[in-house]
Amino acid sequence: MAIVQPIVDWYTNLMASGDPRVQNWTFMKGPAPTLSICLSYVLIVKWIGPYIMRNRPPLNMRWLMIIYNFVMVIISTYIFLKLGILGWFGKYNWKCQPVDYTDNPDATAMANLAWWYYLSKFLEFTDTIFFVLRKKFSHISTLHVIHHGIMPMSVWWGVKFTPGGHSTFFAFVNSLVHIVMYFYYGLAAIGPSMNKYLWWKKYMTAFQMVQFIAIFVHSFQLLFRECNYPRGFMWWIGFHAVLFWFLFADFYKNTYGRHRAAMKAKAALNGSAAYTNGSSMSNGIKANGHCNGTVKNGVNGVNGVNGVNGVNGVNGVNGVNGVNGVNGVGKQNGYHKPAENGYTNGISNGHSNGVVHRTTTKKDCDE
């Protein structure tokens, strides 16, 4: 009891030192409700949800996802513009902006907006709920769960103690990024017809990484200047920026670096196949990956060395007696009598009046 009481007293005094304007707002008395919701979120999306869905078919939620994502675009746009109008479009100092704890209308409006921004972090849990209900379990990555799971708890401290001033730069930049992000996912939810407009996902991820650099620089600049702003929150916000930057950088490397390597490997494989199947070889192979009228080793219509069975040529005159080449110029050992080796009236092995027809079997192409 002697150890516990000082901790209780410290916690009580800490909570009492919060901004009195927000003291009676929903979830603002203490961190327990927010922490409970965040832990429940992790438990649901990582274990309970997948367990419930394991024997159920994925749900088709396309229209609900479209509505949700574009509603989030509207919410993010509103928060971004209000944060700008109340502060970051000119009223706030970008180098040092103390928190205004008075009942000034703009200061009160900023505190209220910070609280709404905090509540929007709970709404963003819906992103992961959709993954669970659609059985997209591979999308529920460590990055995704950490990012969504700790944000409400992180923002809670800001609303409780610094609902305005320097702290709100984080929400300002993050809301701008979310406008872009939810617009992208709204388009993606429409369906495959939108794929041609979604080439910029990689750049959206890069934009998210840039936001954390901006937040990091904006926060830690206070190390080099005097500012009437709690330094503890400078470290708190700066730490989150660094953490998220490394998480997103790892995601970027694993996602787009792996994709780039796969594309290179595919290109190399295709190039090798093109050389194997498309090169003119001394044994008469000139396939170019096609089946129609093309057979290996000069048999039945390919320009082989020995012109077996009436090799076809360009502009060959009626495919006469195995004549091969331009305008009927003969190939060595490629001549046969008109009625021999399957020739009838100059038509042989899939050649009719110099035109190649499909004589190659599927087996020939698969070899």
Side-chain angles (χ1 to χ4, degrees):
M1 186 65 180
I3 299 176
V4 174
Q5 190 58 47
I7 297 175
V8 172
D9 292 340
W10 171 83
Y11 173 79
T12 302
N13 293 332
L14 178 64
M15 292 301 103
S17 66
D19 188 338
R21 296 174 300 176
V22 307
Q23 185 68 21
N24 294 319
W25 295 359
T26 304
F27 299 150
M28 285 293 108
K29 285 188 178 297
T34 303
L35 183 60
S36 299
I37 295 172
C38 290
L39 292 176
S40 299
Y41 158 79
V42 175
L43 187 64
I44 289 170
V45 301
K46 292 297 290 184
W47 291 284
I48 297 177
Y51 179 80
I52 292 173
M53 292 298 297
R54 72 190 189 285
N55 295 322
R56 290 176 169 82
L59 301 182
N60 185 347
M61 312 188 72
R62 186 166 67 92
W63 284 107
L64 185 58
M65 290 170 60
I66 293 171
I67 294 170
Y68 164 76
N69 282 292
F70 284 111
V71 166
M72 291 303 294
V73 170
I74 295 171
I75 292 173
S76 299
T77 302
Y78 173 80
I79 293 175
F80 172 74
L81 292 176
K82 286 290 289 184
L83 285 168
I85 293 169
L86 292 173
W88 296 108
F89 286 162
K91 294 181 179 179
Y92 274 13
N93 187 321
W94 288 62
K95 295 180 179 180
C96 169
Q97 183 60 49
V99 181
D100 185 352
Y101 292 103
T102 70
D103 291 328
N104 176 283
D106 280 358
T108 302
M110 183 63 85
N112 187 260
L113 188 61
W115 179 73
W116 280 107
Y117 174 76
Y118 153 76
L119 292 181
S120 75
K121 300 297 108 179
F122 292 121
L123 185 58
E124 290 170 13
F125 287 171
T126 308
D127 296 357
T128 325
I129 300 300
F130 282 146
F131 287 151
V132 173
L133 296 178
R134 295 167 61 221
K135 301 186 76 169
K136 301 288 186 179
F137 301 135
S138 62
H139 291 21
I140 309 175
S141 63
T142 300
L143 167 63
H144 182 91
V145 175
I146 290 176
H147 179 64
H148 284 283
I150 70 175
M151 278 300 293
M153 195 69 255
S154 299
V155 177
W156 182 88
W157 293 98
V159 178
K160 177 69 174 179
F161 296 98
T162 58
H166 214 75
S167 302
T168 58
F169 180 80
F170 181 97
F172 178 66
V173 176
N174 187 240
S175 296
L176 175 61
V177 171
H178 279 195
I179 294 171
V180 178
M181 185 184 77
Y182 282 110
F183 179 73
Y184 174 92
Y185 288 122
L187 292 179
I190 293 174
S193 61
M194 291 290 108
N195 286 348
K196 59 185 175 181
Y197 304 112
L198 302 177
W199 51 266
W200 46 280
K201 183 178 182 181
K202 176 174 68 173
Y203 303 102
M204 181 181 69
T205 304
F207 186 35
Q208 289 175 299
M209 293 169 64
V210 169
Q211 83 167 310
F212 298 124
I213 295 175
I215 293 166
F216 169 85
V217 172
H218 183 262
S219 184
F220 282 124
Q221 68 172 318
L222 298 185
L223 289 172
F224 309 101
R225 67 178 81 253
E226 290 296 325
C227 184
N228 184 23
Y229 176 82
R231 289 207 165 224
F233 281 92
M234 173 199 71
W235 290 104
W236 181 253
I237 295 172
F239 167 76
H240 279 79
V242 173
L243 171 65
F244 286 138
W245 188 90
F246 277 106
L247 289 171
F248 273 79
D250 185 64
F251 169 81
Y252 187 95
K253 179 182 68 176
N254 291 335
T255 302
Y256 304 111
R258 187 178 302 158
H259 176 71
R260 191 182 304 113
M263 292 299 291
K264 286 183 178 179
K266 183 177 180 181
L269 182 62
N270 289 340
S272 175
Y275 177 78
T276 301
N277 297 321
S279 301
S280 297
M281 311 295 284
S282 61
N283 64 356
I285 298 174
K286 193 174 182 181
N288 293 319
H290 299 290
C291 292
N292 292 332
T294 305
V295 189
K296 298 175 182 179
N297 297 323
V299 180
N300 296 335
V302 180
N303 296 327
V305 173
N306 293 319
V308 180
N309 291 335
V311 181
N312 76 298
V314 180
N315 298 323
V317 180
N318 295 328
V320 177
N321 297 331
V323 178
N324 181 24
V326 180
N327 297 323
V329 179
K331 278 285 186 180
Q332 182 180 2
N333 299 325
Y335 291 87
H336 298 279
K337 292 181 181 180
E340 294 176 354
N341 295 325
Y343 285 78
T344 303
N345 297 324
I347 302 173
S348 173
N349 295 315
H351 294 69
S352 177
N353 298 324
V355 179
V356 180
H357 293 273
R358 181 181 180 89
T359 60
T360 307
T361 65
K362 186 177 187 301
K363 181 177 182 300
D364 294 323
C365 298
D366 292 337
E367 290 178 350

